[in-house]
Amino acid sequence: MTDNEPDLSGDWDLDPAHTRIGFSAKHAMVATVRGAFNEITGSLHVDFDDTTKSTAEIVLDVASIDSRNTQRDDHLRSADFFNAEKWPEIVFRSTRIEEVGENALVVSGDLTIRDVTKPITIPIEFTGVQTDAYGALRAGFEGTRRIDRREYGLEWNMALDSGGWLVSEKITLEFELSAIKRGTAPEQLA
């Protein structure tokens, strides 16, 4: 790092207005349905001197699920899927963050959906850092990871007459993260 580059080490908070954590799944084996969680909180601790001390935590409000269809969203919130009333949050807590290449990270941690916690590894691309128009230092990250939803207790499905299933078992998780370094955002944005 040169003297002109910003110090990236420290604590960061996800900016929910510019962060999307979503998913995609096949519907009736022919169409892709996408959705996201509108209420997100999260924080990162970055330590470039010792990346093993870097951490990440993300919490999604299950009730904020939005797939652009009210009936489907209500079904996803129900006991058939997420059971938002009983388990209102999806939580990811990192256990290890590794730099594996230029702007490439592997984030390992525990993902809890419903009452099931499983280890997961997510490849993440660091997309850059910039001071925004308000003086806040922002960093961007993107990544995807496929999971089998049944491993997290999301087992509801319906067989199709022609064979196959209404909802795919494999779901792609989609991460588009914008984080603001603490202490760099004006008070009205913090």
Side-chain angles (χ1 to χ4, degrees):
M1 225 163 48
T2 69
D3 290 340
N4 295 343
E5 293 177 346
D7 181 11
L8 302 181
S9 290
D11 294 315
W12 298 72
D13 294 306
L14 290 185
D15 174 4
H18 296 96
T19 292
R20 178 181 177 276
I21 299 180
F23 57 89
S24 62
K26 285 291 187 194
H27 179 263
M29 300 184 63
V30 295
T32 300
V33 171
R34 296 187 191 289
F37 296 89
N38 292 329
E39 293 184 32
I40 301 165
T41 58
S43 61
L44 312 169
H45 174 75
V46 178
D47 186 330
F48 276 104
D49 294 328
D50 184 355
T51 57
T52 65
K53 294 181 181 174
S54 295
T55 60
E57 179 175 290
I58 298 174
V59 179
L60 309 177
D61 180 345
V62 174
S64 75
I65 197 165
D66 182 359
S67 67
R68 301 180 332 135
N69 180 290
T70 302
Q71 184 179 359
R72 179 173 46 234
D73 294 344
D74 288 342
H75 191 203
L76 289 169
R77 289 181 194 108
S78 78
D80 282 346
F81 285 97
F82 291 107
N83 200 346
E85 192 172 305
K86 188 170 184 180
W87 296 294
E89 296 178 336
I90 295 173
V91 178
F92 173 80
R93 287 187 180 92
S94 70
T95 54
R96 183 178 173 101
I97 299 175
E98 299 174 85
E99 184 178 13
V100 295
E102 186 72 27
N103 298 324
L105 305 168
V106 172
V107 180
S108 301
D110 295 320
L111 177 62
T112 301
I113 300 175
R114 294 176 56 109
D115 60 341
V116 179
T117 301
K118 292 197 155 294
I120 186 171
T121 300
I122 306 165
I124 296 287
E125 176 189 2
F126 171 62
T127 58
V129 64
Q130 195 66 248
T131 300
D132 70 16
Y134 301 100
L137 187 61
R138 290 182 175 272
F141 305 88
E142 293 183 356
T144 61
R145 175 68 158 84
R146 285 188 69 179
I147 64 169
D148 185 330
R149 65 186 177 88
R150 296 171 304 166
E151 292 180 0
Y152 292 91
L154 304 172
E155 297 185 21
W156 183 92
N157 221 333
M158 183 180 293
L160 300 174
D161 290 341
S162 58
W165 298 98
L166 184 63
V167 181
S168 61
E169 294 168 350
K170 298 288 186 179
I171 305 296
T172 301
L173 305 177
E174 304 162 340
F175 307 93
E176 298 158 11
L177 311 174
S178 178
I180 298 174
K181 188 171 183 185
R182 285 187 200 151
T184 66
E187 287 302 313
Q188 68 269 22
L189 294 178

